[in-house]
Amino acid sequence: MKKKKTIIMGSGFSSLSASCYLAQAGFDVTILEKNDTIGGRARQFKKDGFVFDIGPTFYWMPDVFESFFNDFKTSTTDFYALQKLNPAYKVYFNKDESIAIEDNLEKIKSTFENIEPNSGKALQKFIKKSEDNYNIAIKDLVYNPGESVFEIVNWETITKSGAFLKTIKNQVAGYVKNKSLQKILEFPVLFLGAKPSNTPSFYNFMNYADFELGTWHPMGGMYEVVKGIEKLALSLGVKFETNRSVTSINLEGKQVKSVSTAQQEYACDVLLSGADYHHTETLLPDAFKQYSELYWDKKTFAPSALLFFVAFDKPIEKVTHHTLFFDTDFEAHAETIYDTKTWPEKPLFYASFPSKTDAVAAPEGKEAGIFLMPIAPDLEDTPEIRAKYFDKLMTRLEDTIGSEVRSHILFKESYCVNDFKDDYNSYKGNAYGLANTLMQTHILRPKLKSKKVDNLYFCGQLTVPGPGVPPSLISGKIVSELISKYSKS
């Protein structure tokens, strides 16, 4: 029997995942990637012996990665080495107050208890609820394709309906009163791309991922995960072609017959896009687009980001592998992202120093620093604005750690809204997809299967289950099951 020819646009985590499942199911799979390396947002920047992950830097939910590789009778250990971080991360609230989150719940409870009496016991109860929600979400709900509301309306979710009506912010305030501890419990929801005050408390399952499953680092960087999945995909027969930007989707009736690039035309029986959903639909005639420009414009997008990749000629003190600078008002910063859509005056930011853990990241005696500031999508992006905020971030870093770092910078590179648009055709230059608000959950997200083109499918952070690397791996799995289901019918 002839294998169905499947073209996948883009090579991010969801596309890589789908390619493996489809190849395993007997499809002839070719991935077309517009950039010169695969991985989508999860690429690397290398210079003068320094290695920076351009995209994701947090390795959370290790069970999802393990489950993916187990589906192919392999393990993460066959492809890369993991190290659990201790501390998982450190949070600065000002230069005199910081909290380090250690590598197991008992230690974290002690940290909480030292700051607020009885908060350790409260945290235990909170994490138990978080674990219950994690088991419902990760072991059941997120593996549904979002075709019917009854995928999420069942006895377990009905009995937890309050978890969809109360917000993370309200729930957290019911467990701990200390503002710094509240911020730590609200922090993981930022990975879902929404405000704690606008995210259903059901999503507290991210706290279980944080405190119980831990924060890990793939030695060599997150790109080692990309390389691992690529190796698996190649062993299954997947073909990769880079520098292949799809310029048109060619239809016959309601069927995709081929896609065109500058180099050639690729015939296909199935087209799966792991590229930006909005961009993909711009390659279709108007009559075959599912979602209007107004639809996309009204959606609540997760933030974009201003990133800096900085090489230092010496180790940076008083920071850990992952360090969060929450020394300004989070609500005020969040307001600039989701409400006023302006550049923030006093931004929060995150810094990763992978060379604290991984010798590959920087030459001996030197430090690699990745700085990320979340911002609203589609902001004006100029060299002058980038320089202004780099100065702000370095000033805050120096004030917080109490030492001068600017004279120790060997080089720096920046990445922002315009780069997200240019490199990934990202709608409004967003970095993380659609926010996981109540009105953008599950069936209310853009569909995996086109309603207007019979053999066109989508995966990735703009569809189900949502933003983040683990959800992207899951998105690749569920769309491949959907393709297999409809290809047989």
Side-chain angles (χ1 to χ4, degrees):
M1 183 176 171
K2 187 179 178 184
K3 290 185 176 183
K4 292 204 170 184
K5 191 163 188 57
T6 303
I7 294 294
I8 300 179
M9 291 171 55
S11 63
F13 277 112
S14 61
S15 294
L16 291 171
S17 169
S19 75
C20 293
Y21 286 109
L22 289 169
Q24 185 184 57
F27 289 79
D28 178 355
V29 182
T30 300
I31 289 180
L32 303 179
E33 166 57 50
K34 79 181 287 286
N35 294 306
D36 58 5
T37 59
I38 68 163
R41 284 165 166 77
R43 296 183 296 152
Q44 279 187 330
F45 163 56
K46 297 182 180 182
K47 182 176 177 179
D48 298 343
F50 290 83
V51 179
F52 304 88
D53 281 313
I54 293 177
T57 54
F58 262 83
Y59 191 104
W60 270 8
M61 301 162 69
D63 53 326
V64 174
F65 292 87
E66 196 60 50
S67 176
F68 167 77
F69 284 106
N70 289 172
D71 282 342
F72 302 93
K73 295 184 170 54
T74 63
S75 170
T76 54
T77 55
D78 295 321
F79 299 98
Y80 52 89
L82 286 171
Q83 182 167 324
K84 193 174 189 182
L85 299 182
N86 187 28
Y89 52 88
K90 184 176 187 177
V91 185
Y92 275 104
F93 299 98
N94 56 60
K95 65 181 179 180
D96 300 316
E97 182 192 4
S98 64
I99 298 174
I101 297 301
E102 295 186 81
D103 62 348
N104 70 60
L105 185 58
E106 288 306 312
K107 294 178 185 175
I108 299 167
K109 283 163 56 180
S110 294
T111 298
F112 272 53
E113 195 67 33
N114 290 336
I115 295 169
E116 179 183 320
N118 298 317
S119 63
K121 190 180 292 184
L123 178 62
Q124 182 71 62
K125 292 179 181 176
F126 179 80
I127 294 300
K128 181 63 177 75
K129 283 183 178 289
S130 171
E131 180 180 11
D132 290 344
N133 288 343
Y134 189 89
N135 288 331
I136 294 170
I138 302 304
K139 295 177 182 176
D140 185 12
L141 297 188
V142 296
Y143 284 95
N144 287 311
E147 291 192 295
S148 165
V149 71
F150 294 107
E151 293 170 9
I152 58 169
V153 177
N154 55 43
W155 177 249
E156 285 189 303
T157 56
I158 289 170
T159 57
K160 291 182 180 292
S161 59
F164 287 95
L165 300 176
K166 187 182 284 188
T167 68
I168 289 278
K169 190 171 187 64
N170 289 339
Q171 185 190 43
V172 164
Y175 283 88
V176 294
K177 302 304 177 189
N178 181 276
K179 295 299 182 185
S180 296
L181 296 181
Q182 286 179 357
K183 284 183 180 180
I184 284 174
L185 290 178
E186 292 170 2
F187 149 65
V189 81
L190 300 180
F191 285 93
L192 302 173
K195 290 193 290 187
S197 59
N198 197 30
T199 304
S201 62
F202 179 76
Y203 286 102
N204 72 10
F205 63 75
M206 293 296 289
N207 294 100
Y208 174 75
D210 180 2
F211 288 177
E212 283 279 25
L213 300 181
T215 302
W216 300 75
H217 176 71
M219 299 304 286
M222 283 293 288
Y223 200 69
E224 291 301 307
V225 185
V226 172
K227 287 159 64 176
I229 302 177
E230 177 192 29
K231 185 177 179 181
L232 173 63
L234 289 169
S235 74
L236 293 165
V238 176
K239 296 174 283 293
F240 291 85
E241 297 196 27
T242 55
N243 295 305
R244 294 291 187 274
S245 180
V246 173
T247 54
S248 68
I249 299 172
N250 309 312
L251 305 180
E252 280 187 18
K254 293 177 65 179
Q255 295 271 337
V256 178
K257 288 301 178 185
S258 67
V259 297
S260 297
T261 68
Q263 294 82 2
Q264 69 182 87
E265 186 175 343
Y266 295 82
C268 61
D269 300 301
V270 175
L271 176 61
L272 169 61
S273 177
D276 182 90
Y277 204 125
H278 168 268
H279 169 73
T280 303
E281 288 216 322
T282 66
L283 303 177
L284 293 167
D286 287 346
F288 293 92
K289 296 175 183 176
Q290 302 170 91
Y291 304 109
S292 67
E293 289 296 322
L294 183 61
Y295 169 91
W296 290 110
D297 191 53
K298 285 188 172 182
K299 286 295 175 185
T300 301
F301 274 80
S304 185
L306 170 57
L307 293 128
F308 295 101
F309 308 104
V310 187
F312 297 96
D313 68 7
K314 68 163 191 172
I316 304 300
E317 299 173 353
K318 297 184 181 180
V319 294
T320 60
H321 185 129
H322 296 302
T323 307
L324 299 146
F325 293 82
F326 282 6
D327 49 332
T328 62
D329 186 343
F330 173 75
E331 287 300 324
H333 186 162
E335 202 172 290
T336 67
I337 297 172
Y338 297 104
D339 303 323
T340 62
K341 297 178 174 57
T342 53
W343 282 94
E345 278 303 307
K346 297 179 179 178
L348 285 80
F349 66 99
Y350 152 70
S352 174
F353 300 93
S355 41
K356 296 290 183 193
T357 304
D358 196 340
V360 169
E364 188 175 355
K366 298 178 182 179
E367 194 89 87
I370 301 167
F371 297 83
L372 184 153
M373 189 181 93
I375 58 173
D378 219 23
L379 292 183
E380 181 186 14
D381 174 14
T382 66
E384 293 75 20
I385 291 172
R386 295 188 190 194
K388 170 187 171 182
Y389 280 93
F390 183 73
D391 187 59
K392 280 180 181 279
L393 267 53
M394 290 303 104
T395 297
R396 291 261 297 285
L397 175 64
E398 290 177 335
D399 288 348
T400 303
I401 66 174
S403 61
E404 191 270 342
V405 300
R406 277 175 242 240
S407 65
H408 296 281
I409 294 173
L410 297 171
F411 67 81
K412 67 177 173 69
E413 298 288 342
S414 62
Y415 200 95
C416 198
V417 171
N418 292 344
D419 301 299
F420 282 104
K421 291 178 180 178
D422 292 344
D423 289 347
Y424 312 122
N425 296 311
S426 174
Y427 182 73
K428 293 186 176 181
N430 81 83
Y432 304 109
L434 284 175
N436 259 334
T437 61
L438 180 60
M439 297 310 294
Q440 293 181 173
T441 295
H442 192 66
I443 195 171
L444 300 176
R445 298 179 75 82
K447 301 301 182 191
L448 289 167
K449 185 180 188 302
S450 172
K451 296 173 286 188
K452 296 191 173 183
V453 182
D454 293 339
N455 58 341
L456 173 59
Y457 298 81
F458 299 86
C459 60
Q461 59 189 13
L462 290 177
T463 182
V464 294
V469 178
S472 292
L473 293 176
I474 293 168
S475 184
K477 180 174 185 175
I478 56 181
V479 78
S480 65
E481 291 171 346
L482 210 58
I483 291 171
S484 293
K485 170 185 166 183
Y486 284 104
S487 294
K488 290 173 183 174
S489 61

